[in-house]
Amino acid sequence: MTLAQRALERLAAWPDLTAGPASCGTGRALRTARSEIAHFHSDRDVDLHLTSRALRRFAADLQESTAIRVLPGSRWVTVHLDCDTDIDLLQSLVSMALKAHQGGPAPEDLPPGGCNFRRVTVLPRDPAGTATPC
């Protein structure tokens, strides 16, 4: 089982999330009743929909992580899963996204260009490309 499959399986068990096809047409999505929260595009890459307020509040922390890519102007961040610890990070970020989206996203938080699929390139931290404890 890949890291993304493991993360999707864990998160799909959360009562506020439902799995289904991603609106971008590639991969699986987790969504609430009001909006998509995450897109699982590959065995290692997940796009996570945050609000503009959450992005501003946590921008410095997000940019310091080697597992996260922030694309200017996007309400989505890409999380690259290289190890089990990255799944824990993703779960924390999904929890944050759920809280940020309570009551539904504000109009400025609706992602006009969709997720970051094919707009972000993530290089693995582990040159061998194996999933090891971080």
Side-chain angles (χ1 to χ4, degrees):
M1 180 179 293
T2 68
L3 291 169
Q5 288 170 329
R6 227 176 347 195
L8 177 60
E9 186 177 277
R10 287 182 196 175
L11 290 165
W14 290 16
D16 292 342
L17 294 173
T18 305
S23 62
C24 66
T26 302
R28 304 287 292 160
L30 290 174
R31 62 173 298 113
T32 66
R34 298 179 180 193
S35 63
E36 287 186 338
I37 298 294
H39 287 181
F40 290 75
H41 293 300
S42 72
D43 292 344
R44 293 181 181 259
D45 295 315
V46 180
D47 282 345
L48 181 67
H49 182 202
L50 298 174
T51 62
S52 55
R53 182 174 182 221
L55 282 167
R56 282 190 306 273
R57 183 173 180 194
F58 297 104
D61 296 317
L62 293 172
Q63 291 174 346
E64 285 188 22
S65 173
T66 59
I68 299 172
R69 297 296 176 267
V70 179
L71 187 64
S74 177
R75 298 292 180 257
W76 295 79
V77 297
T78 301
V79 181
H80 186 72
L81 306 173
D82 270 335
C83 59
D84 289 335
T85 305
D86 293 337
I87 294 174
D88 297 335
L89 171 63
L90 177 63
Q91 287 180 292
S92 295
L93 292 172
V94 168
S95 180
M96 181 180 76
L98 286 171
K99 183 173 179 161
H101 283 281
Q102 283 179 343
E108 67 269 14
D109 288 321
L110 295 174
C115 65
N116 292 342
F117 185 59
R118 293 198 173 123
R119 297 181 349 173
V120 172
T121 301
V122 181
L123 300 174
R125 290 174 292 197
D126 175 15
T130 59
T132 58
C134 295

